[in-house]
Amino acid sequence: MTTASPSVFLLMVNGQVESAQFPEYDDLYCKYCFVYGQDWAPTAGLEEGISQMTSKSQDVRQALVWNFPIDVTFKSTNPYGWPQIVLSVYGPDVFGNDVVRGYGAVHVPFSPGRHKRTIPMFVPESTSKLQKFTSWFMGRRPEYTDPKVVAQGEGREVTRVCSQGFVTLLFNIVTKDMRKLGYDTGPTDTQGVSGPSLPQGFPQ
Amino acid sequence: LSEEMDHVTAEEIRDKHLQKDLDAEENQNVVKTLRGKVREKQKNSKINKDEKSSTEQLIDSKIYQRTKSPQTEVSLDESLSFFILSGEERSALDKSSEQRPVNHSYPKCFSLGGDLQNVDESEDGEFMKEFILTDLVKVKAAEYEDDQEQIKKQKANIFVPSSSPVVNQRKLPKDMMPRILEDEGFYIQRKPEIRKKTCNKMENRLLKLEEGKRWFGESGEILSLPTPIKQSWNFRLNIRKESLNPLLKTIYRKAVKCDLGSSFMNKIEGPREIYQLDLNIVGLQFSHHHLFNQEQVLCARLLHLYECFQDRQQQNVSQLLYEKLKALTDATKLSNENSEINQLTRKSLQDYNWQISNTKQLYDLERGKDLSLLRSILRTWKQIKSLRQHQGFTSTPIKLQVQRIKINKCDEQEQISEMSETEKKTEGKELKNGKKQESLSYLASDETEIERMKPITLRPQLSFTAELTSLSKCSLHEQKRRAKIQKLKYFIKIFYNNKQVSCTSISTLQLDFKVTFQQIFNIQLIYWPEVICLEVYEKSKRTSLLAKLYLPLPNYTEVKGKNILEYVEFSSHKLVMPADGEVGSNVPFLLEGNGTEELCLLTSGKLSYSLSWSLDKNGIPLKPLKSQSLRSAYCSMLRNVDARGVPGIPWLINEQKLFEWANEVRIDPNNPEYSDLMEFVMYMSLKGQDIPKYFRLEQLQNEFNFVSEEEMEKSKRFQLLQLRNAGQLDNFLLQQMPLHDTEIPDLVFQEYESQKEKEVSISDVNSIIAQRINSANFLKKVRRLIMKRTVKITKYNLSDIVTDYEKIISTSQLTDAVFKFVEPRRKLKPQRKERKQVTAQTISDGDIKILVRIVRAYNIPMRKTAINRALDMSTHLKSSISFLKHKETIKSVASEEILREDTVYPFVEVSFQHTVYQTSTASGSHPCWNEEIKVDFLSPGHDYSFSSLSKIKDNIYINIFDEMMIEKHEDHCLKSCSVHSYIRKNWLGSIVFPFSALLQQSEISGTFQVTIPPVLLGYTWNNTYVFPREDSNEQNLKECTFLNIFATIEPQISYVTYNPTLDKFLDQTEVLQRAQIFKKNCKAIFPNRRIVTTVFNDEGIQFLVTRYIKALNPPQQLLDIFLHDSNATLDLIARFVSLIPFMPDTPEENDGSDIWMTSEHCISLAIGNKEEHAVLLCNFFLYFGKKALVLLGTSGLEGHVAYVLTQETNEYLLWNPSTGQCYKQFDPFCPLKSVDCLFDDRNVWFNIQQSNIPMAVLFDYSKESFWKPLLPKNVQGTKVQSIQPEEIIYSETDKSMVEDLRNRIERTLKNKVMEWRPKCPTRWNRQCTLILRHILPKLELGRGSFVSSEGDNEFDRILQFYWVTGFPIRMPYTDVQSVIDAVYQTGIHSAEFPQTEFAIAVYIHPYPNNILSVWVYLASLVHHQ
């Protein structure tokens, strides 16, 4: 469909939710989903995913590795509402209840190439000590009704949060026709034929 | 040998430089200086000259290789040692052993010189051979050498430079004085530091060297490079956090934006220029102090007088006048002497005389002043003296002396002598009062005489020499006072530009009430000086501010050179009560000396200081040069000329004005006062056009304009985006925005445009339809506009965003949770559990269901059974045949049930959003279904948030039908033949409630009256049923059907209680504020009860609700109908109001702030919301003189409603304006569930009773314990002006339009019915339609019983052939669609029986102002067989 004037541009995102650092917690799994604007539509791939449960590595790093692949392609006519990936991490608490351990969101990188993102994660807090205790005791930590809230600015003023850990993401971005439509996103994005791309590490 | 060697070597080394040119002979001269012994040997050597030379050569050749550069001492030593060795070897030779080394030594010297030896080299060749041979042959015994000797020898060989300083002469070329450049002013770099001893040693050593002098510079010191060690040192801070001194820690300070003026302008620029002000604070001198005693007060006064006196003395006016006088008298004398008196002289004489008299007058005046001053000085002095005597001690050192001045002029000698006589005793002594007075009187007597006139020659002199009485001799008071004085301390804080920059040391108050500081403060300026302020603090037990002094800024010219002290006076009005003999401050006291004088003195004094620009080392004043920089001039000018707060931009704008002003005023350009301004003017004119004439806020805006405005406008995509952003693109919302303009269909815009146009005007032939649509659109628009203007809603609550958030209000909840684990489980005791509320975000399609439980119904109309009918008909003399026929038919229809008279099989249909659910069929007129119906529910746009759900305006219909079986025999054969049975349902009635009511209340439960059409053809009421409380209801309950239902939404959607924050309005008067507060308070007590205090009108202005209430006239047409039956009139009016179409309003608009139109608007637009209806009805009732109030509450079926409460003689009536029905307070079937708020034209009352169920509520709103009034009682009397018009003018409805509308509706309905029956043919029974048309107009004004009987008669003929079921529907006219929907709900079209015929009739009863009552009579007919 490479016509003279394309009507949409495409954004291909693949990569993975690599690992996480949650010093206090273990046995976590994560969910991801995308939040995007009106003019965006996924054309291929999975918009949402839920990973396996992972335990801490036994070495010093104590990393929680998921290596959970993301592969999705969007099309759009408008960069407004650029997709964001929303991550939410869950894990069991002392009593075995599944509670949320972190929310985080980041925009999908704009420029083509390989990008690594480390997102700080946070959870909503209880409003009082008593509340905190009961929520702990009853295994019902406060959580967002919709994780997509963390990708929006609206309504956040009513919540208070507490930071928890980090999740590292790896993105490989390919865009199509963006330059043709007048959106110049990357310095190295030469039209069509690009030079030897950035030296990349081993495929993981 | 060693001794000799010693000498020789010593000599050799020492005289090395001298030996340079030595030949053999010269050697001798040198050697002469040696000791005698050596000399002899030298002589020997002379004799053997040849030999010697040969040896020289030999050795030379031997050592040649080794000692190529024998200048160094080391190599020298080596060669020496070699010599020594060789000497030893050769000691065995026949030559004298001593001689050899000596000989050797010489050649050595030569070799050093390196000149001569080569001369003889060729000669030596042969000689050498012989010599060596003899040498080799010689044998010598081993020799012992003493250690001591050896050491000695070594010592001799090693040179030890002495550490004594070297004389300059030796270091420098002869006859040269050392030249020290540094003294001549040259810069000499620092030399590395060396110990003197080391240096000396080195110098000695160097002098030993041949060219050693090269090493010395002109100054006689060793040449050396400057020291490589840097004097300045860099220190790297150790920034490890833990070790850092806490004092060194950097503290975060928020960046403060400096005052624009000071930072931009007043900052004196340039790093080089340091300006410094020197402030010298010398001290304080109190002219009055609260610790003064009376003596001191007098003393201060004396001082003051004395100062005045001295001032006058300095001015010396009297002296001048005196001299002038003298000159004038001389002149007159002179002219008098001139005997020739001509005109001129006479004139001048006159002039002289006049002048004399004038001057005399002046002189007298001045003299008098002087004298009085002198007199008061003396008086004060006297007082002091008497006081001192009186109190017995002296506390001031003041002393007055009066001197007489001797005037040398001879002509005054006489006077002086006279003076001296009188004042002899006073001279140099303390003046005695009496004598002084004498002299004064003398002076006074004398002053008239010109000749005797003379300047006052008495000169008082103050000195501070009087002895103070020592402390021990003083009275107790005085002792205490002095102690107090000593305790007092003072210090001064210095403020520069309102910032404290420094503080003087604390100094004590001296006994003479002086405080000396004598401190100089150097103020280095960064900012332009604006204010220099000193604050004087007094410190006794606590510190207090005494006075604030502002120092004038120094001139440019005031540099430190001048040492004149300046004085600033200060005073403090602080009140200090006197205690120990002192006088205090600001407190009246009596001076003892003259009892009548009452004084009240304030603490005052003066501060002596000097403020000037300081000088730097070179005597250059550290002051800003006037013209040093235009910028600073500019800023200083700004300070001087313009007092406007912010200089800078506004200044730049007004620069032109400034020029104009400067031109106008014609400022002297040479006036130093304006030099700043002139400089600025010059500067600006030089700068010229650099500064733009305008100021642009967003200078970079242009850079971000990618395309021109027009292009932007043209772009379809941009327009679309804008529309979408404004939320006006509903149909395009979920799509992607096309990228190119070509892809955007014009249709989108057209749609939007048409939508817009539709709002503006509707072109419909029928004015009524047009009016309806217009007004609806108009209202929508108005509402939207006003809401946009007024309401801001905070969209999210915590519970919306954070889930699983159980609010914990008390600890009991926690304990409950704990106990839950412990408590015994009783399986047979179910416990009620609150349903969990679900927030909208989590809900997706299919999650929500509406549950409707149909429990049971009461008193459903029964079919008119055959028996009944037969019985009825017998009265009408029916033929038996027909009767039999009837009986047969009915029998076939209802088989055995006829006998039981239980001839109704009702079932219930629930329909919502065009989906229909149905219960099973029960039987009897009091059926019990107890069935739950789950209605699936889809929200438009898949948005389940409360606000979007509340926009759903669909109703939930609960219809009761009677299921009827009709068996049709195919042939006329008997029952054995095949029989087709058809089911047909007959509509009996319905309950309708809006979805929003369900959403608001979360559940609807109870028994509700079913709306039953006034006539139900083919059905009749069961007479046997008796209601339990029939006696309490006058209403004919026999003709009412009731249905018990329960409905809810599952899961429960959390009800968002909005607290819309209203914008502040300019017209927010006190009353409105009060109303807001009242509302807030009420909401705090009962959050679930409704209260409306203020509303907006259609112009967006806020009003108190009470202003809507005013008696208004109903249409005259209605009043005329029942002239004598007031109750009927009221009913009619209520019906009229109920016929005004309703505007569906959403709950979110309903609560916070509503928009109410006036009743006039409501009628003219023919649309209104519930509250407007209620207000209108209330106003009509008030017209009849009834006591009526508007009631806000909640209805079980309708959600939030407004009723009208009227007070009858002994009861309260509740009117529902939406149906026109009237309920009594204790009517159990009144749908009103809660009574929350009442208002009339005077006040608003909020229900604060425990229960708000109508039956439990006491409606006596005068009791404040039950009803909380908005306005207090005293205000209630004042009636506020209503915003309603005086009178409503009604217009007649156009009959032709009504007729047109009627036809339209009828036609549309017929088409629709046919449309709904796609499979069967629809037959219309003309006859029946005709009858129905006749009946309908009677129904409008008729009352139930009359109509039904009349109808029966009309129907008689048809009933003979048909089985007729039918009913009229009555409704207000809003639009055609609503009529169609109502018809559809009845399901009359669904009759499957093939031979069914239909009849439809429409009648519209017009009321004024296009308010219409629509009647639709539907009937279905089945032909009897």
Side-chain angles (χ1 to χ4, degrees), chain A residues 125-128 130-143, chain B residues 798-799 802-810 813-814 816-818 820 833-837:
Chain A
E125 271 285 290
S126 303
T127 44
S128 65
L130 178 66
Q131 193 90 43
K132 201 168 184 173
F133 172 71
T134 48
S135 67
W136 171 82
F137 187 73
M138 294 154 89
R140 291 157 71 91
R141 286 291 309 271
E143 53 186 89
Chain B
L798 178 61
S799 52
V802 179
T803 186
D804 283 357
Y805 205 88
E806 283 170 27
K807 266 233 171 100
I808 292 203
I809 299 132
S810 62
Q813 230 168 325
L814 187 68
D816 285 352
V818 176
K820 211 155 67 180
K833 242 182 164 179
E834 276 297 313
R835 276 198 304 169
K836 221 183 85 183
Q837 291 204 335

Side-chain angles (χ1 to χ4, degrees), chain B residues 415-475:
Chain B
Q415 297 155 20
I416 293 161
S417 63
E418 273 178 69
M419 285 291 286
S420 61
E421 264 177 44
T422 50
E423 293 177 351
K424 220 184 212 166
K425 283 169 193 169
T426 66
E427 194 178 334
K429 285 278 167 193
E430 288 177 28
L431 190 66
K432 293 234 165 76
N433 192 35
K435 283 193 178 172
K436 182 63 207 164
Q437 269 188 336
E438 262 174 52
S439 75
L440 283 174
S441 65
Y442 163 76
L443 283 167
S445 65
D446 256 4
E447 62 194 11
T448 45
E449 296 255 350
I450 301 169
E451 285 80 27
R452 306 203 76 178
M453 257 191 183
K454 48 149 192 61
I456 295 163
T457 49
L458 284 175
R459 181 154 295 176
Q461 268 200 327
L462 273 183
S463 62
F464 296 96
T465 50
E467 245 177 67
L468 289 183
T469 320
S470 64
L471 197 65
S472 52
K473 289 175 191 167
C474 291
S475 66

Side-chain angles (χ1 to χ4, degrees), chain B residues 483-662:
Chain B
K484 258 194 202 169
I485 291 171
Q486 272 154 357
K487 269 182 209 159
L488 270 186
K489 284 172 185 167
Y490 287 88
F491 67 94
I492 297 173
K493 284 182 182 170
I494 301 161
F495 288 80
Y496 180 80
N497 286 356
N498 298 323
K499 281 182 187 122
Q500 187 181 343
V501 289
S502 189
C503 185
T504 63
S505 57
I506 298 169
S507 304
T508 50
L509 184 68
Q510 292 155 9
L511 274 184
D512 54 355
F513 289 93
K514 274 185 186 167
V515 185
T516 47
F517 294 106
Q518 295 287 18
Q519 273 183 296
I520 296 178
F521 298 91
N522 300 324
I523 309 170
Q524 290 206 338
L525 310 184
I526 296 171
Y527 292 103
W528 194 264
E530 275 168 2
V531 180
I532 298 173
C533 173
L534 303 180
E535 285 185 357
V536 182
Y537 284 88
E538 188 180 76
K539 189 179 178 186
S540 49
K541 274 166 201 160
R542 57 198 179 84
T543 312
S544 61
L545 175 66
L546 191 68
K548 250 187 178 180
L549 306 175
Y550 288 91
L551 303 187
L553 298 176
N555 261 332
Y556 291 114
T557 50
E558 284 179 24
V559 289
K560 207 188 179 182
K562 65 143 204 182
N563 277 321
I564 307 153
L565 287 185
E566 287 173 72
Y567 296 95
V568 216
E569 294 197 341
F570 64 88
S571 71
S572 150
H573 54 265
K574 210 171 70 176
L575 192 101
V576 183
M577 296 304 288
D580 302 311
E582 68 249 17
V583 294
S585 171
N586 206 3
V587 173
F589 64 95
L590 282 174
L591 258 184
E592 259 174 50
N594 41 357
T596 51
E597 199 179 359
E598 198 185 52
L599 287 172
C600 178
L601 293 174
L602 301 179
T603 302
S604 61
K606 56 191 177 185
L607 171 88
S608 47
Y609 76 100
S610 74
L611 179 66
S612 58
W613 299 100
S614 62
L615 302 170
D616 71 353
K617 276 184 212 159
N618 305 326
I620 298 163
L622 291 169
K623 59 166 190 177
L625 290 173
K626 265 199 160 178
S627 56
Q628 47 130 2
S629 113
L630 286 166
R631 177 89 171 272
S632 74
Y634 169 57
C635 73
S636 63
M637 183 270 311
L638 282 174
R639 266 185 324 106
N640 294 346
V641 178
D642 198 338
R644 281 173 298 182
V646 186
I649 291 149
W651 182 256
L652 291 176
I653 291 167
N654 286 335
E655 143 206 350
Q656 200 60 42
K657 268 190 184 172
L658 180 72
F659 288 160
E660 279 167 24
W661 175 76

Side-chain angles (χ1 to χ4, degrees), chain B residues 1031-1035 1127 1130 1186-1189 1204-1215 1222-1228 1254-1255 1257-1261:
Chain B
D1031 48 7
S1032 66
N1033 291 292
E1034 291 167 25
Q1035 214 175 338
N1127 281 338
L1130 289 181
K1186 281 194 169 293
K1187 240 186 172 179
L1189 297 100
V1204 176
L1205 179 80
T1206 54
Q1207 192 178 357
E1208 302 297 326
T1209 46
N1210 52 0
E1211 61 181 350
Y1212 289 95
L1213 291 180
L1214 297 161
W1215 295 81
C1222 169
Y1223 302 95
K1224 292 194 180 94
Q1225 192 194 344
F1226 298 104
D1227 188 342
M1255 277 193 257
V1257 163
L1258 282 167
F1259 280 107
D1260 187 4
Y1261 48 81

Side-chain angles (χ1 to χ4, degrees), chain B residues 110-157:
Chain B
F110 285 108
S111 73
L112 289 170
D115 296 323
L116 277 175
Q117 59 194 50
N118 297 329
V119 181
D120 304 324
E121 217 166 30
S122 53
E123 293 179 330
D124 294 343
E126 294 163 5
F127 193 83
M128 188 167 64
K129 279 173 190 169
E130 287 173 33
F131 194 82
I132 290 167
L133 282 172
T134 52
D135 250 14
L136 287 170
V137 176
K138 196 73 182 180
V139 179
K140 199 195 163 209
E143 217 172 86
Y144 167 74
E145 209 169 13
D146 188 24
D147 271 357
Q148 215 73 35
E149 285 286 299
Q150 207 148 3
I151 291 164
K152 263 187 191 170
K153 244 194 276 179
Q154 273 176 4
K155 257 190 187 165
N157 290 334

Side-chain angles (χ1 to χ4, degrees), chain B residues 29 82 234-235 340 393 613 850 879 932 956 1006 1053 1067 1102 1178 1214:
Chain B
N29 298 331
F82 175 71
N234 296 324
F235 177 61
E340 297 157 34
F393 57 84
W613 299 100
I850 299 168
S879 71
E932 193 171 82
I956 297 168
I1053 294 169
D1067 53 346
Q1102 215 175 1
C1178 179
L1214 297 161

Side-chain angles (χ1 to χ4, degrees), chain A residues 5-8 38-41 75-78 80 124-128 130-131 133-134 137-138 140-146 149 154-159 181 183, chain B residues 717 721 724-725 733-740 743 794-811 814 817-818 820-821 836 839 841-842:
Chain A
S5 59
S7 59
V8 290
Q38 282 177 339
D39 294 325
W40 290 78
K75 72 171 178 188
S76 175
T77 57
N78 195 349
Y80 176 73
E125 271 285 290
S126 303
T127 44
S128 65
L130 178 66
Q131 193 90 43
F133 172 71
T134 48
F137 187 73
M138 294 154 89
R140 291 157 71 91
R141 286 291 309 271
E143 53 186 89
Y144 286 124
T145 50
D146 187 359
V149 168
E154 213 182 354
R156 290 273 281 276
E157 74 275 7
V158 296
T159 64
L181 298 178
Y183 302 117
Chain B
R717 178 175 153 87
L721 284 171
R724 185 172 74 175
N725 202 31
L733 199 66
L734 296 169
Q735 291 176 39
Q736 276 186 321
M737 196 59 62
L739 198 66
H740 302 288
E743 293 166 26
T794 47
K795 274 199 168 170
Y796 289 104
N797 278 336
L798 178 61
S799 52
D800 288 340
I801 290 195
V802 179
T803 186
D804 283 357
Y805 205 88
E806 283 170 27
K807 266 233 171 100
I808 292 203
I809 299 132
S810 62
T811 46
L814 187 68
V818 176
K820 211 155 67 180
F821 294 102
K836 221 183 85 183
T839 45
Q841 281 89 339
T842 50

